[in-house]
Amino acid sequence: MESSNKVILKNLTHDELRDYIESIGEKKFRANQIFSWMYKNAITFDDMKNISGDLKRKLSEVADIGNIEQEACFESKIDGTKKYLFLLPDGNIIETVMMDYSDRVTVCISSQVGCRMGCDFCASTKEGLIRNLEPWEILDQILKVEKDIGKRVSNIVMMGSGEPLDNFENTKRFLKLVNEEEGLNIGYRHITLSTCGIVPKMYELADMQLPINLAISLHSPFDEKRKEIMPVAKSFKIEEIIKAAKYLISKTNRRVTFEYSLIKGVNDSKKEADEIAKLLKGMLCHVNIIPINKIEESNYEKPDKSFIYKFRDELESKGINATIRNSRGSDIGGACGQLRRKYKKNLI
Ligand code: SAH
């Protein structure tokens, strides 16, 4: 590809950009201007008004800003949630979701094209992992949403396609970039990273001592059942995951979330609720119940509403803080990764 040898400027921190601009024989203050333009959503060097023509030409020979392109956007008539399909430079497509609550705007971003974790109920994993996203491709989802809605994004959830801890180096760089003061400046406390429980990386994340929110996909308190629905459970036992979560809490003092996708007749009985309560007793955590979103490729169904409430009440009665995630944008493409799959199959 033409741009493959070029430095992608959105991959660089502010300091790194200053060094880079100096290395091509320019004054450091130029880097401040360029950095600021990138985060004001300049798409081309020509959009950078106070940069000289000479520098624009020089930059376009050696560098790219790094842009993903909006391929499609679907807006929910129910709650204004927007789901985007973005086109990457190599032709791959990823999915991003924007939820506008009046006091905050949350964006759900993807970290990989596809996923290799293989969870039975998840559409993102059905074709396996296609590739990791580069840090700038993770970041640019937020910038392109801001451009589209004309508003600042306040919160990030890494809950789109992909397993962020399976693309950890790029995720770490993304976390640094998104926190840059002169850039998006989104504080770690406003970022949630969701993992299916890759234990060694959870320790690494804990040792970074970032005050981000960690969400862990539990989906069953029993290893055997978990293995049936999440192949990654064959590598890491629940006991190990809980130990790693406790270590992270000791390092960050942040409350951990356990995600629990509730599937009718599979993981929704009192037996499960009792065991979760035993497992999580006394931990700085809460359980977020996600009634399963049906996908074409599996027969799993949502439990009836009364069952969902009963499950939550069961946990609450045992002293476990539990909430039910209310599904947004249900009229525009359902669960994680489903929109992209349907789009690729020309079904929408
Ligand atoms: N790889 C990360 C992020 C996945 S998406 C992880 O495993 O945590 C965020 C959450 O949505 C995870 O808990 C995931 O298991 C869950 N999820 C995926 N597909 C779903 C579906 N169809 N219905 C309900 N929850 C789903």
Side-chain angles (χ1 to χ4, degrees):
M1 227 189 321
E2 200 235 327
S3 62
S4 58
N5 295 325
K6 292 183 176 176
V7 171
I8 299 200
L9 300 185
K10 269 185 203 153
N11 258 342
L12 305 182
T13 61
H14 202 162
D15 280 345
E16 288 166 344
L17 184 68
R18 285 193 198 103
D19 291 346
Y20 176 71
I21 291 298
E22 246 188 345
S23 79
I24 59 167
E26 297 290 333
K27 295 251 173 350
K28 272 192 180 184
F29 80 93
R30 290 283 173 213
N32 299 343
Q33 295 173 323
I34 295 166
F35 199 77
S36 151
W37 278 116
M38 287 198 301
Y39 289 92
K40 274 191 278 179
N41 252 316
I43 305 295
T44 65
F45 292 120
D46 272 340
D47 296 334
M48 301 183 172
K49 300 295 176 216
N50 52 0
I51 309 284
S52 73
D54 275 354
L55 179 54
K56 283 177 187 166
R57 269 187 295 281
K58 187 172 181 181
L59 281 172
S60 55
E61 276 163 28
V62 292
D64 254 343
I65 296 174
N67 288 297
I68 59 173
E69 281 174 43
Q70 189 173 314
E71 170 82 8
C73 177
F74 305 85
E75 184 169 357
S76 166
K77 292 191 179 59
I78 305 170
D79 54 32
T81 293
K82 279 185 160 185
K83 296 197 179 177
Y84 299 87
L85 292 175
F86 288 119
L87 179 67
L88 308 180
D90 65 355
N92 275 304
I93 284 180
I94 52 167
E95 201 171 316
T96 306
V97 184
M98 185 286 304
M99 292 153 284
D100 192 346
Y101 306 91
S102 48
D103 59 336
R104 63 188 195 280
V105 175
T106 300
V107 171
C108 175
I109 55 175
S110 294
S111 56
Q112 294 178 316
V113 183
C115 181
R116 61 184 181 129
M117 296 298 124
C119 299
D120 228 6
F121 45 80
C122 179
S124 300
T125 201
K126 294 301 165 195
E127 291 166 56
L129 175 67
I130 295 164
R131 71 168 173 86
N132 284 330
L133 291 185
E134 294 299 318
W136 74 269
E137 292 171 319
I138 307 177
L139 184 81
D140 205 36
Q141 296 170 58
I142 305 163
L143 280 165
K144 292 298 182 284
V145 169
E146 285 195 345
K147 192 175 177 73
D148 180 62
I149 63 173
K151 261 193 197 179
R152 295 294 310 275
V153 167
S154 52
N155 294 62
I156 307 293
V157 294
M158 298 192 82
M159 292 186 184
S161 294
E163 166 52 50
L165 298 191
D166 188 40
N167 182 18
F168 198 36
E169 289 312 307
N170 291 350
T171 293
K172 280 194 274 193
R173 176 166 280 271
F174 158 73
L175 290 173
K176 213 192 253 181
L177 294 171
V178 77
N179 192 235
E180 283 278 86
E181 217 174 302
E182 306 292 327
L184 281 167
N185 195 17
I186 298 178
Y188 291 125
R189 286 168 208 281
H190 296 263
I191 301 175
T192 301
L193 184 154
S194 179
T195 178
C196 57
I198 301 184
V199 170
K201 302 293 176 193
M202 287 171 69
Y203 280 102
E204 237 185 274
L205 182 67
D207 284 333
M208 288 164 67
Q209 293 189 303
L210 302 178
I212 63 170
N213 308 301
L214 184 69
I216 302 167
S217 299
L218 184 62
H219 306 333
S220 173
F222 302 112
D223 280 318
E224 285 316 305
K225 178 60 70 58
R226 209 166 170 264
K227 281 182 208 167
E228 274 173 34
I229 53 179
M230 310 172 67
V232 67
K234 292 175 192 150
S235 306
F236 306 107
K237 287 204 186 101
I238 293 167
E239 194 189 323
E240 297 173 83
I241 293 174
I242 299 291
K243 210 167 135 196
K246 285 183 176 161
Y247 179 75
L248 184 124
I249 295 167
S250 77
K251 286 282 177 180
T252 63
N253 205 24
R254 302 284 296 160
R255 184 176 78 157
V256 160
T257 299
F258 286 94
E259 291 162 290
Y260 199 89
S261 295
L262 204 63
I263 315 171
K264 188 177 187 168
V266 174
N267 63 358
D268 61 344
S269 74
K270 183 172 181 310
K271 191 178 81 178
E272 266 99 6
D274 288 347
E275 190 64 22
I276 295 172
K278 262 196 241 159
L279 202 62
L280 304 184
K281 192 99 214 157
M283 245 176 116
L284 182 61
C285 72
H286 88 294
V287 175
N288 193 216
I289 299 166
I290 318 171
I292 201 89
N293 277 306
K294 192 165 169 44
I295 62 165
E296 256 167 48
E297 295 84 352
S298 95
N299 293 324
Y300 294 140
E301 302 271 357
K302 244 186 219 131
D304 297 335
K305 262 212 173 102
S306 60
F307 264 83
I308 300 171
Y309 291 129
K310 213 170 118 193
F311 197 83
R312 181 204 50 200
D313 295 345
E314 206 77 64
L315 290 174
E316 289 270 336
S317 73
K318 295 192 168 64
I320 303 294
N321 208 290
T323 47
I324 300 168
R325 186 179 300 177
N326 80 40
S327 165
R328 300 201 23 134
S330 53
D331 54 334
I332 46 164
C336 167
Q338 244 186 325
L339 188 63
R340 170 176 164 270
R341 272 178 77 68
K342 284 192 180 158
Y343 190 78
K344 283 181 73 180
K345 288 186 190 162
N346 286 325
L347 292 172
I348 44 174

